[in-house]
Structure formats: structure tokens, C-alpha cells
Amino acid sequence: GEFRETSSREVRLDYTGAVLRVVVEFCFTDHGNASHHLDNFMPESFVRSLVRVSAAAHYLDIPHLETDVLQTLTDMIAELPSLACAVYDESINVGNPVEALSRMAEKKIRARPRKSLLPVKDNVGGVRSLDESLLEKIVFDKQSRISEFEKFQCLQQWAERGSKDSVQGTDTEGISKVESELSEEISTTITNLAKQLDLSRIPVSKLTSVVEQSHLVTRDDLYQAYRSRALCAGRTDHKIVVEGAGTPEVNGTYIQEGVHQDTPMYLMEGMWEGREVIFSIFLCSETTWYISIMPEGEMPGEPTYIDFYYCDHASNNCWKIPSRGWQPINIGQTPPPTCFVTGFFDSKDSM
């Protein structure tokens, strides 16, 4: 036959002993006790090993074990979303045999990007788990819903992890040289990716206290961001409260983040149909305000926007948010909302 064992006394399998023990136990008992064989592994190493178990099961034609691994990883990610990045990274590295795992992990990251990319529990997983080749694809994924500042945080955290990991295993004499070379390489990668950020959508307080201090963005880009922010200075205190909408998900406090058609645009993080999304309030064609879900990477008014309410508003001061007069559109439910604009605006004069 064409099997390797027909021509060789030794056949190598590219799997660790722990992975093969899980497979062998499954063959004998119809269930694989991964936690027993991988109990010394940290959470990220554990899920990466499970991906390898799935690859071995695929190679050895054990579909039930593949199904068990998929369910186990799905349950673990539901409990700790930041593990999705490690599963995705390992699945992409393994390739076609575990394509179902990479699709599942990518879907989980898109559904809960903040919790997936920016872990708050013991720094487990998250964007630090991603290989450099996957960083742009995941952080700037147009189907994901994270703010520009959160994208920046992802780049910053990955750079910090990359700097630490790059010198592990290097002797003392070589550390300084390796640190210098790899830090420059990492810095170049992050600086190039940071150019894709719309810094004008990051609050000035964050630009000053975090972004500028990181030295990951150029002075010219920062200047342009400050300039864009200054265009709206004095016109708003950056907050709009939406209340009373028949679609309750749109209710809440919106913060000014960026400008569209020389008019302030307001955003709020929220949930829609189980997904993290960005709700937006913006003026289109200088006559109509909309409350919509803003797809990442799209400009206001694109067909891909999910519109809930609109308000025709002709005024010499078109940047004033109307308090009343909103109407449902598309999937918006009655009653329409009322918008209370704080600070500089007088909501009674905004009609």
C-alpha cells in the first residue's frame, strides 16, 4: 500500500505526547479527558493543544473527537472570550484540518471584540496571542465593532508583548542587541498599522494621556487629529442623551467622536442581536440626522448602515441636534426617541 509504515519501521506523527494520549484515550473510551492529560497547561496553552488534538483527530479520521473539541473550545470561549484569539491563531497556523475552529473563533471575536482582544482577567489570551501576520486582519476587521482608541490599545498591547517575547531565551550579552533590533522591527510594524487609525475619533484626553505618550503615532498624525477635534471645539460638550425610543438598544449616552461633513458625529457602544456594535448619530447631506448602527470602516450614510430613526432638520445651525421630531425608519420601533443635548446646546432651541 501507500501507507508509510509499509516502507519504514518508524512513522513520525507531528503531535506531542499529551495530544496523542488524548486521542488514544478517546479511541478506547469514546471520550477524551483533555483536562487530565493537559492539566499542567495554562489556559492559552490548553486551548492551543486542543486545536492540535482536533488536527490529530482529523488526520486519524475520528470525527466525533473533532466535534467534542469544537464544543469544548466553544464553551471555554463563552466563559473567557479572550481565548478566542489563541484558538484563531493556532488554527490558522495548523491550516485546513481545523478550518472549522478558525471560523468559530473568528466569529466569536467579531461578536465580542472588546472582551476577545483586550482581556481584563490576568491578561489571558487577547490580542497578545496573535501572530504579527494576523494583527491587521483581526484588529482592523470591518465586521468587528471596536472604537479607534480600542484599536490603538490592541496595537499597544501587542507591541508590549512582542518586545517581551522577542528576547526570551537570549543570553545576557546578546539581549541589548536583540532588544534593539527587534524593538525597531516591532515599532515599524505597529507604526505602519497605526497609520490606519482615525485619530480624530479618539477623545482628546486619550490622545494626550495615552496615544501621544506611546510614541506609536507620528507627530503629524497627532497634529491632524488635534486640528480635527479643534474644529468642533466650543460647539458641543460631546454628550447627547437619547431616551424613550421604542427600540431600547439605541437609548443611552452618545459621546462625540470625530466629524462628518464638518459636523460632530456621536457614538455609543452597545449590543444588538447579541453582538457588540457602535450606535451613531450623524448628519447626512446637511438636512437629515440619523440614529444608526455604524459598520466598522464605513462612512456615514452608506447602504450598509442599519438605520433606526431619522429627523429632517433644516436650520442655519445644522450642527444642532434636534430634540424632537424623530421618526422610525427601517427597523426602528415606535415611539421615537427624544434627544437631550447637554452643555452648550439649549434643547428647546434645537427644534
Side-chain angles (χ1 to χ4, degrees):
E2 298 181 358
F3 294 103
R4 279 183 289 177
E5 53 264 38
T6 61
S7 59
S8 175
R9 298 181 59 183
E10 181 178 297
V11 177
R12 284 189 171 273
L13 297 175
D14 296 326
Y15 308 106
T16 65
V19 166
L20 290 176
R21 282 192 288 273
V22 174
V23 174
V24 170
E25 180 173 332
F26 185 88
C27 292
F28 277 95
T29 65
D30 205 31
H31 69 271
N33 189 352
S35 60
H36 173 70
H37 297 292
L38 307 173
D39 59 355
N40 292 324
F41 288 29
M42 298 298 289
E44 181 174 340
S45 299
F46 184 88
V47 297
R48 287 183 182 273
S49 293
L50 281 183
V51 172
R52 296 285 172 172
V53 169
S54 181
H58 180 85
Y59 178 76
L60 298 170
D61 195 20
I62 313 175
H64 291 304
L65 180 54
E66 290 184 80
T67 301
D68 283 0
V69 169
L70 175 60
Q71 187 59 55
T72 298
L73 288 173
T74 300
D75 293 342
M76 292 185 69
I77 291 172
E79 182 176 346
L80 192 58
S82 57
L83 290 175
C85 288
V87 173
Y88 183 77
D89 182 82
E90 192 69 20
S91 300
I92 293 298
N93 187 37
V94 171
N96 290 335
V98 291
E99 186 178 355
L101 296 182
S102 64
R103 289 199 303 268
M104 179 274 291
E106 184 176 39
K107 183 178 179 181
K108 298 298 183 182
I109 294 171
R110 285 172 171 171
R112 305 177 70 184
R114 297 172 193 85
K115 291 184 180 296
S116 298
L117 295 169
L118 299 169
V120 295
K121 183 180 179 181
D122 302 326
N123 290 327
V124 175
V127 69
R128 296 180 177 89
S129 301
L130 296 174
D131 183 76
E132 178 182 339
S133 62
L134 302 175
L135 195 59
E136 179 177 4
K137 174 180 173 59
I138 294 299
V139 174
F140 294 94
D141 182 3
K142 290 187 177 182
Q143 296 187 47
S144 184
R145 304 290 185 272
I146 56 175
S147 69
E148 295 301 302
F149 181 63
E150 287 163 336
K151 291 177 186 176
F152 170 80
Q153 287 180 301
C154 286
L155 299 183
Q156 187 178 38
Q157 287 194 14
W158 189 89
E160 292 172 353
R161 182 226 67 167
S163 297
K164 293 177 182 178
D165 291 353
S166 297
V167 297
Q168 287 184 357
T170 307
D171 58 73
T172 305
E173 292 182 1
I175 284 180
S176 297
K177 182 178 180 181
V178 172
E179 278 186 330
S180 177
E181 293 176 351
L182 291 174
S183 293
E184 182 177 349
E185 180 180 337
I186 291 168
S187 178
T188 300
T189 297
I190 297 300
T191 299
N192 288 337
L193 289 176
K195 292 178 181 178
Q196 299 185 40
L197 294 170
D198 184 353
L199 298 178
S200 68
R201 293 169 60 182
I202 298 178
V204 173
S205 60
K206 300 296 185 183
L207 284 174
T208 304
S209 62
V210 181
V211 179
E212 185 174 350
Q213 302 303 317
S214 72
H215 304 294
L216 296 178
V217 298
T218 66
R219 289 185 176 276
D220 182 62
D221 288 340
L222 279 169
Y223 168 76
Q224 295 300 329
Y226 286 131
R227 182 177 181 276
S228 180
R229 282 289 187 175
L231 291 175
C232 294
R235 293 198 235 176
T236 175
D237 71 347
H238 312 301
K239 291 184 180 180
I240 297 174
V241 178
V242 176
E243 294 183 348
T247 303
E249 289 86 350
V250 309
N251 294 326
T253 302
Y254 292 67
I255 309 298
Q256 187 201 334
E257 292 196 28
V259 176
H260 175 62
Q261 296 182 352
D262 294 327
T263 305
M265 184 165 61
Y266 303 85
L267 308 179
M268 178 185 74
E269 298 173 359
M271 298 291 295
W272 177 254
E273 296 182 341
R275 292 173 56 88
E276 294 178 351
V277 298
I278 302 294
F279 292 97
S280 61
I281 302 175
F282 62 92
L283 183 68
C284 189
S285 301
E286 299 185 354
T287 59
T288 306
W289 286 93
Y290 288 91
I291 299 177
S292 309
I293 288 178
M294 180 179 69
E296 185 61 36
E298 299 289 338
M299 292 297 292
E302 293 292 326
T304 50
Y305 265 56
I306 301 175
D307 298 322
F308 295 94
Y309 301 96
Y310 77 100
C311 184
D312 290 323
H313 184 59
S315 170
N316 292 331
N317 293 322
C318 64
W319 44 267
K320 286 189 174 182
I321 304 290
S323 174
R324 293 175 289 276
W326 293 89
Q327 298 294 326
I329 185 174
N330 294 337
I331 57 177
Q333 300 295 311
T334 57
T338 301
C339 297
F340 297 94
V341 188
T342 62
F344 179 82
F345 294 143
D346 180 347
S347 60
K348 293 181 180 179
D349 294 335
S350 299
M351 291 294 294

